[in-house]
Amino acid sequence: MFKDKFKYYKKKVPPSSLQNILNVRTDNNDIISKFHLRGRNEALVDEHANFGLQHPSLWKAVELKNHPGLIFIVNPFTNNGQRYWIARSVADYSTKPNLTNISQLPDLCNLLGDKSWWDLASCEVNHDKNSISRKMRWATMGYHHNWDTKVYSEEAKSPFPADLDKMSRYIVKIALNVDFVPEAAIVNFYLMDSFLSGHVDRSELNTSAPLVSLSFGQTAVFLLGGETITTEPDAILLESGDIILMTGKSRLQYHGVPKIIPTEMENWNDFSDADSYSADELTEKFNHITLSRVENRAFWASFARYIGQARVNLNVRQVNYHDFTT
């Protein structure tokens, strides 16, 4: 059932109908129920601006009734926050010591030489079939996921980005009021003809810890099924800025992305909130990209060209068990 639904939404001729896809922004309570954020620490709540997030009192969160534990937070990011995480993903997370699909391909590495992928991709206007911008598919940080063995290794590990670590902990604490240790992340780069086949994320030793998924850029059709591939999945729209927390039973359910469709909400090109933020100690200390830099329209222009034809997804996972009682 999952494969049939996946093929249906993936097809281009004739294009599949989007009529039955769940849109949590407009659909009713027969499908979703309001989820009440569980974090109550006011000192923690006030850290939101460090990550380009709105105050949690403004967040809208829902839980899917057919998938208990699937928490959907409707874009809690400011416009400037979206720009920040897009730029970090594209320009910084795609560089060493992180691993990428390009780093596994000698011919492309030779083409880049001393330059980064983004050094060349940022100069391109369109994603034509020969462009370098089309070559980036994934990047891994922290524990590097082995795509062949599906196993994490202590020997295949690089530093986890400090800003993504702190923001992931913050989101999980505010939403679920539980502790979370980000140890591995995969950045998926999608173009308009990209897809991600159905799968279950079970490589982590601790599959009871939440999986944090952040979407930026063009809209994705997200399929979420059951614990086996025979369960018919639900189709959900993921817009830029949306966050999914896969917890409980949903953590080990089949999911995939059969289609990317053009968004109608390019929040990243709205600069109305740009003056509200400045680079703080966190972003100045650890990052090449800062909240203040993406306030600059000229600096942002190359990122706008890329994300105008692409989607970036950040998946953050806790790999190991940790004792939070001490």
Side-chain angles (χ1 to χ4, degrees):
M1 294 295 287
F2 189 100
K3 290 183 178 180
D4 292 339
K5 203 77 167 280
F6 192 95
K7 290 178 181 178
Y8 172 76
Y9 282 112
K10 182 184 173 185
K11 70 177 183 176
K12 298 178 181 178
V13 182
S16 53
S17 170
L18 306 180
Q19 183 176 359
N20 295 322
I21 299 178
L22 170 64
N23 186 336
V24 301
R25 289 166 169 79
T26 58
D27 287 334
N28 60 42
N29 289 336
D30 290 340
I31 303 171
I32 59 178
S33 58
K34 184 176 181 180
F35 181 80
H36 296 280
L37 303 176
R38 298 170 184 170
R40 294 290 184 271
N41 186 318
E42 288 303 318
L44 178 68
V45 165
D46 288 338
E47 293 181 13
H48 65 280
N50 291 341
F51 313 117
L53 290 162
Q54 301 177 57
H55 192 280
S57 63
L58 301 176
W59 295 11
K60 175 187 176 182
V62 299
E63 185 171 11
L64 272 65
K65 292 182 178 180
N66 290 346
H67 303 277
L70 194 287
I71 312 304
F72 191 117
I73 304 174
V74 177
N75 181 23
F77 292 91
T78 65
N79 300 334
N80 206 49
Q82 286 205 36
R83 286 190 290 272
Y84 173 79
W85 291 106
I86 291 168
R88 277 288 278 162
S89 299
V90 170
D92 291 343
Y93 296 160
S94 63
T95 61
K96 296 178 181 179
N98 303 329
L99 295 184
T100 69
N101 64 295
I102 288 179
S103 65
Q104 314 297 302
L105 302 172
D107 290 346
L108 282 177
C109 290
N110 292 335
L111 175 64
L112 293 178
D114 294 333
K115 296 182 179 296
S116 72
W117 164 76
W118 183 243
D119 287 335
L120 300 184
S122 62
C123 300
E124 296 179 336
V125 177
N126 296 307
H127 301 320
D128 61 54
K129 64 180 181 179
N130 296 317
S131 65
I132 192 69
S133 57
R134 291 188 65 88
K135 306 301 183 183
M136 183 62 71
R137 296 296 184 177
W138 55 262
T140 56
M141 303 174 288
Y143 283 98
H144 299 297
H145 188 259
N146 187 309
W147 303 97
D148 296 322
T149 65
K150 312 297 183 185
V151 173
Y152 293 105
S153 168
E154 293 294 330
E155 285 69 49
K157 187 178 178 182
S158 63
F160 197 93
D163 56 343
L164 185 59
D165 175 289
K166 292 180 183 295
M167 183 184 68
S168 300
R169 291 175 187 260
Y170 177 85
I171 290 170
V172 172
K173 194 69 175 180
I174 291 297
L176 305 174
N177 197 28
V178 299
D179 293 307
F180 177 70
V181 181
E183 295 176 297
I186 300 174
V187 189
N188 290 309
F189 298 83
Y190 295 82
L191 299 175
M192 299 308 294
D193 56 354
S194 299
F195 61 90
L196 179 66
S197 298
H199 64 284
V200 176
D201 295 295
R202 59 171 94 249
S203 298
E204 297 73 32
L205 294 177
N206 181 4
T207 56
S208 61
L211 187 152
V212 181
S213 177
L214 313 168
S215 295
F216 298 103
Q218 302 305 304
T219 300
V221 177
F222 177 71
L223 294 187
L224 182 62
E227 295 179 4
T228 70
I229 206 164
T230 59
T231 303
E232 183 175 3
D234 291 311
I236 308 161
L237 276 185
L238 286 177
E239 299 281 4
S240 188
D242 289 344
I243 298 174
I244 283 180
L245 301 178
M246 298 182 74
T247 73
K249 289 185 176 181
S250 75
R251 176 63 177 79
L252 293 174
Q253 291 181 331
Y254 274 88
H255 57 280
V257 176
K259 178 171 288 188
I260 307 298
I261 57 178
T263 185
E264 297 179 357
M265 299 183 291
E266 293 190 351
N267 306 67
W268 57 83
N269 284 331
D270 183 346
F271 283 77
S272 60
D273 66 353
D275 293 335
S276 302
Y277 296 90
S278 61
D280 62 7
E281 181 180 355
L282 177 70
T283 54
E284 284 286 10
K285 183 176 180 181
F286 293 109
N287 307 338
H288 166 62
I289 305 296
T290 65
L291 284 167
S292 60
R293 290 195 78 186
V294 292
E295 292 177 350
N296 184 293
R297 291 174 185 267
F299 177 78
W300 173 249
S302 60
F303 297 102
R305 285 198 301 272
Y306 178 79
I307 206 63
Q309 305 173 67
R311 172 181 182 254
V312 171
N313 175 246
L314 283 161
N315 278 275
V316 183
R317 300 102 182 276
Q318 177 176 316
V319 174
N320 300 305
Y321 287 94
H322 294 273
D323 184 0
F324 297 109
T325 61
T326 57

